[in-house]
Amino acid sequence: MSVAPRTHFLLFLISLSSRMGLSRYIEDIEAADGLYSLLSLDQKRDSEDFIFRRPLRCLDMLATDGSYTFVASRPQLACAAFIIAEPSEVISLELSDVNIDCSAGDFIKMFDGWVLKGEKFPSKQDHELPLHQRYTDYCSSPATGATSRSSQNVAMIFFRLHSADSGFTLAIKKLHNPFPCNIMSQSPEGSFTMVLPHQRKNCSFSIIYPVEIRLTDLSLGHAKSNELNPQRQLWSGCSGSGDYVELLGGNGVDTSMMFPVAALCFSLSGLAQVKIGCDNSVVRLVSSGNYINRVSFQYRLLEQSELPKTQENALDNFCSVE
Amino acid sequence: MPPPLAPPPVLPRPLLLHLGEELSLRVGGGSPEGVGEKEKRSEEPPPSLDLTFHLLREVLQMARNERLNQQATSNRALMDSFGK
């Protein structure tokens, strides 16, 4: 086949692919409802019994879809529940059977993210909403304040109940998120690929353990040479590069308050690894929106012997890095 | 008839002993006064939780175990349905 007809043929194939919506980066492979899809209608109706239900504790961590009911046996003035899903999920929250007295100071507030010791995840820099829009206050508007949907795989609920027998029910449902951004890992080991296709935003993958992180693939907008550039004190990093990946370490959940460990400004085809001996280790992808950026990495928990020894009279507050 | 509520996972004893030492729960955002609650509520600092990473990891692990157990229970119930 000569060049011109071949070119036309290839263009024809490309146009067919675009109409079919094929994309290397958009893969939303759903297994439908899995085993659930094999049930008959009667069996599906009976599946209401499959909804997980249990009492909610004043301090709780919820990772399972279901219905959680809190009933105060005595005044409960400081309660909170963390909610976490898989990296590729967001969380839908719905309050029902709410029996509280807002005028007496009771409240139920849902937060889009996690708050720990005053620090927020995702940070203000990494979340698309201003801070005040991340809170949903039931008492401010019971009609609209009873539902909330998170922007990432973590959410929280805070509540205060002054009277015994007051309470509420919280329903948790997880929804698929095809382009996850800002993830809290449930486990100290695993792997993940973060993709930002032409999106101007910053995304963090947070691991609340001291880990070794191995970057296995990095594709940034500008493909030039690359070197892992560990920075400890002088941080020049990749500022000004537009799109880059940075590794952070710290002892809080707010990524804007964590220490930069290393930064990669250019695409990577080999392997780069860093041990971060901090309570929280983060891979953060900064994207200008001009390119399709992708970073793949693996992480594992550092053994006790790999953790830094406590130094007496140590003034350096930064966790150890290798 | 819906099944009875499952009991919440029992916190292990070492975790309970540590709660007094490690956990400091500060949750603001409520007002006992009846007048102008919305204004007062908006002025108060947002709630926060003083929890150590150690305790956070403990409860996270418990939640993961609960999810896995629930998934196993759900799969078992589904397979029982297939057999009917």
Side-chain angles (χ1 to χ4, degrees), chain A residues 35-36 38-39 43 49-50 52-55 57-59 61-64 68 77-80 82 84 86 102-105 107 109 114-118 120 135 137 139-140 156 158 160 174 185-188 208-210 251-253 279-280, chain B residues 1-11 19 23 25-34 37-38 41 44-53 55-57 59-64 66-68 70 74-75 77-79 81-84:
Chain A
L35 293 176
Y36 185 76
L38 301 177
L39 297 178
Q43 290 171 327
D49 293 343
F50 296 160
F52 180 69
R53 303 173 195 274
R54 73 154 168 85
R57 281 193 301 257
C58 180
L59 171 62
M61 174 77 74
L62 311 175
T64 308
Y68 301 83
L77 304 183
C79 296
F82 295 88
I84 189 166
E86 296 300 315
C102 297
S103 62
F107 68 81
K109 294 186 180 185
W114 276 8
V115 184
L116 196 67
K117 297 180 183 176
K120 281 85 176 174
Y135 285 95
D137 186 348
C139 287
S140 292
M156 274 191 84
F158 301 90
R160 170 183 288 176
K174 297 173 202 164
S185 177
Q186 288 194 28
S187 62
I208 53 168
Y209 297 89
N251 296 326
V253 294
D279 277 331
N280 192 12
Chain B
M1 182 177 177
L5 290 178
V10 177
L11 293 174
L19 278 177
L23 174 60
L25 190 56
R26 294 181 296 107
V27 180
S31 170
E33 303 296 331
E37 298 108 20
K38 288 187 181 177
R41 194 175 293 118
E44 292 180 358
S48 179
L49 189 65
D50 290 348
L51 201 67
T52 63
F53 272 96
L55 193 54
L56 187 65
R57 291 168 191 147
V59 294
L60 180 56
Q61 183 61 47
M62 290 173 58
R64 291 178 60 205
E66 181 181 58
R67 178 175 57 82
L68 291 173
Q70 171 54 24
S74 176
N75 289 344
L78 280 173
M79 295 308 292
S81 294
F82 294 145
K84 289 180 182 175

Side-chain angles (χ1 to χ4, degrees), chain A residues 27 37-38 53 122 126 234 236 263 280:
Chain A
E27 290 186 3
S37 63
L38 301 177
R53 303 173 195 274
D126 291 351
L234 287 179
S236 58
N280 192 12

Side-chain angles (χ1 to χ4, degrees), chain A residues 120-166:
Chain A
K120 281 85 176 174
F121 177 85
S123 68
K124 292 179 185 176
Q125 287 79 359
D126 291 351
H127 203 283
E128 294 187 321
L129 297 176
L131 188 60
H132 70 276
Q133 288 187 23
R134 293 168 66 179
Y135 285 95
T136 302
D137 186 348
Y138 175 83
C139 287
S140 292
S141 174
T144 57
T147 60
S148 174
R149 180 178 293 188
S150 69
S151 307
Q152 61 288 312
N153 76 320
V154 291
M156 274 191 84
I157 183 167
F158 301 90
F159 52 100
R160 170 183 288 176
L161 306 177
H162 286 82
S163 305
D165 295 330
S166 55

